[in-house]
Amino acid sequence: MSTAVATPARTGQVLADLIPASRVRDIALVAGGAALTGLAAQIAVPIPGSPVPVTGQTFAALLVGTTLGTRRGFLSLALYALAGVAGVPWFAGGTSGAAAVSFGYILGMILASAAVGALARRGADRNVWRTAGAMLIGEAIIYAVGVPYLAYAADMSLSAAVAAGLTPFLIGDAVKAGLAMGLLPSAWKLVKR
């Protein structure tokens, strides 16, 4: 007879994997991640000269991806995007639909959540510096999709889109990365894994 002994989390796990596995758990986590992103999007501060506000949405999207992992993170942000396109008013400032010039950032968040989820499965959320790297990669993916989409949708040059849709957000993104750098490794320490 063998006895099961709790072992530290393996690198292939994310925080959500510490909750006992079930289909109900996965559905709840995906829906909860979408709802968290929708709530965080309501924290919206307009930026003078930019059609894109500063929101808590990107932080939530990256946090969801990192804590849920690749598949659940991707599904969560895809659910968020699809529900918003269908009319749920949970995009920035209570908007919905795909017509906004900032919709490219939402598409980028879907990809970024999957990417940071994959990095978290490789242990990128276990220490401060690796978490910082994962967040920077996630932000880069969001901008790589969002800024060209903004340029196209708002009929701007690429340099104007960078000035309006990237540059004003760099300080806020550094703050968000700093929050993640403290939050995620601390969560792992709290569960002693």
Short mmCIF file of all heavy atoms in Angstrom, two decimals, residues 47 54 136 139 143 166-179:
data_model
loop_
_atom_site.label_atom_id
_atom_site.label_comp_id
_atom_site.label_asym_id
_atom_site.label_seq_id
_atom_site.Cartn_x
_atom_site.Cartn_y
_atom_site.Cartn_z
N ILE A 47 -7.08 59.24 -22.05
CA ILE A 47 -5.77 59.83 -22.29
C ILE A 47 -5.96 60.94 -23.33
O ILE A 47 -6.44 60.65 -24.44
CB ILE A 47 -4.76 58.78 -22.82
CG1 ILE A 47 -4.57 57.66 -21.82
CG2 ILE A 47 -3.44 59.42 -23.19
CD1 ILE A 47 -3.92 58.06 -20.54
N VAL A 54 -6.58 54.26 -20.62
CA VAL A 54 -5.84 53.38 -19.73
C VAL A 54 -6.90 52.60 -18.95
O VAL A 54 -7.84 53.18 -18.42
CB VAL A 54 -4.96 54.18 -18.74
CG1 VAL A 54 -4.39 53.28 -17.67
CG2 VAL A 54 -3.86 54.89 -19.47
N LEU A 136 6.21 41.49 -19.79
CA LEU A 136 6.70 42.29 -20.92
C LEU A 136 6.38 41.61 -22.26
O LEU A 136 5.99 42.28 -23.22
CB LEU A 136 8.19 42.54 -20.79
CG LEU A 136 8.60 43.50 -19.67
CD1 LEU A 136 10.12 43.54 -19.53
CD2 LEU A 136 8.04 44.88 -19.91
N GLU A 139 2.62 42.09 -22.84
CA GLU A 139 2.33 43.47 -23.28
C GLU A 139 2.77 43.68 -24.72
O GLU A 139 2.07 44.33 -25.50
CB GLU A 139 3.01 44.48 -22.36
CG GLU A 139 2.41 44.58 -20.98
CD GLU A 139 1.05 45.25 -20.93
OE1 GLU A 139 0.61 45.84 -21.94
OE2 GLU A 139 0.43 45.19 -19.87
N TYR A 143 0.39 44.97 -27.85
CA TYR A 143 0.70 46.13 -28.69
C TYR A 143 0.95 45.73 -30.14
O TYR A 143 0.61 46.49 -31.06
CB TYR A 143 1.90 46.90 -28.16
CG TYR A 143 1.57 47.68 -26.90
CD1 TYR A 143 2.30 47.48 -25.73
CD2 TYR A 143 0.55 48.62 -26.90
CE1 TYR A 143 2.00 48.20 -24.58
CE2 TYR A 143 0.25 49.34 -25.75
CZ TYR A 143 0.98 49.13 -24.60
OH TYR A 143 0.68 49.84 -23.47
N LEU A 166 0.52 53.55 -27.84
CA LEU A 166 1.59 52.80 -27.16
C LEU A 166 2.33 53.68 -26.17
O LEU A 166 2.36 53.40 -24.97
CB LEU A 166 2.58 52.22 -28.17
CG LEU A 166 3.75 51.50 -27.53
CD1 LEU A 166 3.62 50.00 -27.75
CD2 LEU A 166 5.06 51.98 -28.08
N THR A 167 2.90 54.76 -26.65
CA THR A 167 3.76 55.60 -25.82
C THR A 167 3.10 56.07 -24.52
O THR A 167 3.71 55.97 -23.46
CB THR A 167 4.28 56.81 -26.64
OG1 THR A 167 4.89 56.31 -27.83
CG2 THR A 167 5.27 57.62 -25.86
N PRO A 168 1.84 56.55 -24.54
CA PRO A 168 1.24 57.04 -23.30
C PRO A 168 0.99 55.95 -22.25
O PRO A 168 0.71 56.27 -21.10
CB PRO A 168 -0.09 57.64 -23.74
CG PRO A 168 -0.06 57.74 -25.21
CD PRO A 168 0.97 56.77 -25.70
N PHE A 169 1.12 54.70 -22.65
CA PHE A 169 0.75 53.60 -21.75
C PHE A 169 1.95 52.91 -21.11
O PHE A 169 1.78 52.02 -20.27
CB PHE A 169 -0.09 52.58 -22.52
CG PHE A 169 -1.32 53.19 -23.11
CD1 PHE A 169 -1.33 53.67 -24.41
CD2 PHE A 169 -2.46 53.35 -22.34
CE1 PHE A 169 -2.45 54.27 -24.94
CE2 PHE A 169 -3.59 53.95 -22.86
CZ PHE A 169 -3.59 54.41 -24.17
N LEU A 170 3.15 53.30 -21.49
CA LEU A 170 4.33 52.58 -21.02
C LEU A 170 4.54 52.67 -19.51
O LEU A 170 4.88 51.67 -18.86
CB LEU A 170 5.58 53.06 -21.77
CG LEU A 170 5.57 52.73 -23.27
CD1 LEU A 170 6.80 53.31 -23.94
CD2 LEU A 170 5.46 51.24 -23.51
N ILE A 171 4.29 53.82 -18.92
CA ILE A 171 4.45 53.96 -17.47
C ILE A 171 3.41 53.11 -16.74
O ILE A 171 3.73 52.39 -15.79
CB ILE A 171 4.38 55.44 -17.03
CG1 ILE A 171 5.61 56.18 -17.57
CG2 ILE A 171 4.29 55.56 -15.51
CD1 ILE A 171 5.57 57.68 -17.36
N GLY A 172 2.18 53.17 -17.19
CA GLY A 172 1.13 52.35 -16.58
C GLY A 172 1.42 50.86 -16.70
O GLY A 172 1.18 50.09 -15.77
N ASP A 173 1.97 50.47 -17.84
CA ASP A 173 2.32 49.06 -18.03
C ASP A 173 3.44 48.64 -17.09
O ASP A 173 3.46 47.51 -16.60
CB ASP A 173 2.71 48.79 -19.47
CG ASP A 173 1.51 48.83 -20.40
OD1 ASP A 173 0.37 48.71 -19.92
OD2 ASP A 173 1.72 48.98 -21.61
N ALA A 174 4.37 49.55 -16.82
CA ALA A 174 5.45 49.25 -15.87
C ALA A 174 4.87 49.04 -14.47
O ALA A 174 5.28 48.14 -13.74
CB ALA A 174 6.48 50.36 -15.87
N VAL A 175 3.88 49.86 -14.10
CA VAL A 175 3.22 49.70 -12.80
C VAL A 175 2.49 48.36 -12.74
O VAL A 175 2.58 47.63 -11.74
CB VAL A 175 2.26 50.88 -12.53
CG1 VAL A 175 1.39 50.62 -11.30
CG2 VAL A 175 3.03 52.18 -12.38
N LYS A 176 1.77 48.02 -13.81
CA LYS A 176 1.04 46.74 -13.85
C LYS A 176 2.01 45.56 -13.76
O LYS A 176 1.75 44.59 -13.06
CB LYS A 176 0.21 46.65 -15.13
CG LYS A 176 -0.93 47.64 -15.20
CD LYS A 176 -1.58 47.62 -16.58
CE LYS A 176 -2.51 48.78 -16.80
NZ LYS A 176 -3.07 48.80 -18.15
N ALA A 177 3.14 45.65 -14.45
CA ALA A 177 4.14 44.58 -14.38
C ALA A 177 4.68 44.48 -12.96
O ALA A 177 4.89 43.37 -12.45
CB ALA A 177 5.27 44.84 -15.37
N GLY A 178 4.89 45.62 -12.31
CA GLY A 178 5.35 45.62 -10.93
C GLY A 178 4.37 44.94 -9.99
O GLY A 178 4.76 44.18 -9.09
N LEU A 179 3.09 45.20 -10.20
CA LEU A 179 2.06 44.53 -9.39
C LEU A 179 2.11 43.02 -9.59
O LEU A 179 2.04 42.25 -8.63
CB LEU A 179 0.67 45.06 -9.75
CG LEU A 179 0.34 46.48 -9.29
CD1 LEU A 179 -0.97 46.94 -9.92
CD2 LEU A 179 0.26 46.54 -7.77
#
